[in-house]
Amino acid sequence: MNQPIDGKRGREVDLFDHLFSNYQRLLFAYIFGQMGDRQAAEDVLQQVFIKVWRHIGKAREKSDEALRNWLFSIAKNAVIDARRQRLPKLFALDEHLPDTRQEVHSQAEDSEALEKISRVVQLLPEETRVAFTMSVLGDMSSDEIGIVLGKPAGTIRYLVSEARKRIMMEIER
Amino acid sequence: MKDSGHELDRLLELWKSELELGDGQLTAMRLDILAAEPTALTPEWWMDQFAGLQTVFQMTSPIRA
């Protein structure tokens, strides 16, 4: 086994890999909820981890809770930056969404249902969308989401339930 | 109506699997990120990483040798 990098750098790569594998899904869920767009969420996720890698030295001394707060705070700022650049495009996207109420389907197939889910999720109020994507895509509990978003777990449960109701209504229409 | 909750759960699982980043995407993203500070890592390390990346894409590619 060769030693391609020195011990300190090797430990930093290990720490980065640990954070990347443990948090990429949670952060993607959060970012996707904020951006409402998969490609944009991927780009922002990459920016987040570039920042993490550049400041990986700061992560070494942090507790698990402090690490999570640090990562989500980087993600929050990255979303703000990205939205500032993409704002006109996001509004344009909403305006051009087709009205699914005019579509008539005798039998909803999975692909149609998935498209409906994506459309409904995009049109959810931001707070609801973020809670929902963190719950479904991030598999996070209401308590965990509440900590990240600074809201009571009961509120998160309500928001997720509202999102499910809206999606259900759209699918059954 | 009684099974609509289960049906929604099933569809949401499908939706989730469509959105999740695949192994190949994640591996490539990881290398892109680490390349943000390429001088910190040696050429030998990068060669190891690219060999690993090639393996991931060979495993996930529909075209096999």
Side-chain angles (χ1 to χ4, degrees):
Chain A
M1 190 73 182
N2 58 3
Q3 291 289 329
I5 45 180
D6 66 55
K8 176 173 177 268
R9 205 57 182 168
R11 284 193 297 277
E12 287 180 346
V13 172
D14 287 346
L15 177 56
F16 174 83
D17 285 343
H18 169 76
L19 296 177
F20 189 68
S21 62
N22 283 296
Y23 284 94
Q24 61 82 13
R25 198 160 52 87
L26 306 185
L27 291 169
F28 178 78
Y30 170 78
I31 295 165
F32 179 79
Q34 296 277 2
M35 303 295 293
D37 176 270
R38 188 180 192 270
Q39 184 58 53
E42 276 182 46
D43 293 344
V44 173
L45 181 70
Q46 181 156 341
Q47 290 307 312
V48 168
F49 276 105
I50 285 174
K51 282 185 186 162
V52 170
W53 174 229
R54 288 198 167 131
H55 302 283
I56 194 71
K58 289 183 185 173
R60 267 180 294 174
E61 308 297 325
K62 290 184 190 292
S63 65
D64 284 351
E65 190 182 343
L67 266 179
R68 187 189 56 207
N69 292 341
W70 182 59
L71 291 170
F72 276 100
S73 132
I74 292 173
K76 187 178 175 184
N77 289 329
V79 164
I80 291 169
D81 288 347
R83 286 172 129 189
R84 204 172 283 144
Q85 293 162 7
R86 290 175 48 91
L87 208 51
K89 193 174 174 184
L90 281 177
F91 279 123
L93 180 67
D94 284 355
E95 285 166 9
H96 291 99
L97 285 173
D99 182 356
T100 55
R101 283 171 294 191
Q102 292 173 1
E103 295 176 10
V104 179
H105 298 291
S106 58
Q107 187 177 0
E109 295 180 357
D110 284 353
S111 60
E112 292 173 36
L114 295 183
E115 281 178 27
K116 285 181 176 180
I117 292 172
S118 292
R119 279 197 288 263
V120 174
V121 168
Q122 274 195 337
L123 294 173
L124 289 172
E126 182 184 310
E127 187 178 56
T128 309
R129 186 174 63 228
V130 175
F132 178 74
T133 57
M134 290 177 84
S135 168
V136 174
L137 302 180
D139 285 328
M140 295 171 76
S141 70
S142 299
D143 286 331
E144 290 171 321
I145 298 168
I147 290 168
V148 172
L149 300 183
K151 295 190 183 304
T155 303
I156 302 300
R157 276 191 288 278
Y158 171 76
L159 293 174
V160 173
S161 160
E162 281 299 298
R164 286 178 61 95
K165 274 186 209 163
R166 288 198 193 192
I167 291 169
M168 187 93 85
M169 281 172 59
E170 186 66 31
I171 288 173
E172 289 179 344
R173 186 174 283 170
Chain B
M1 273 301 276
K2 64 179 178 185
D3 289 324
S4 55
H6 293 303
E7 175 63 3
L8 179 59
D9 287 337
R10 185 186 72 79
L11 290 168
L12 288 177
E13 275 303 312
L14 280 177
W15 182 68
K16 179 179 161 182
S17 64
E18 281 203 344
L19 281 170
E20 276 178 338
L21 305 176
D23 287 346
Q25 259 181 304
L26 287 170
T27 306
M29 184 187 283
R30 172 181 171 267
L31 289 184
D32 266 354
I33 293 162
L34 293 175
E37 273 193 64
T39 53
L41 302 163
T42 63
E44 292 80 4
W45 186 88
W46 280 107
M47 284 174 70
D48 274 358
Q49 299 299 306
F50 282 117
L53 182 63
Q54 199 172 19
T55 305
V56 170
F57 279 110
Q58 276 172 353
M59 285 170 65
T60 55
S61 168
I63 302 168
R64 301 278 178 89

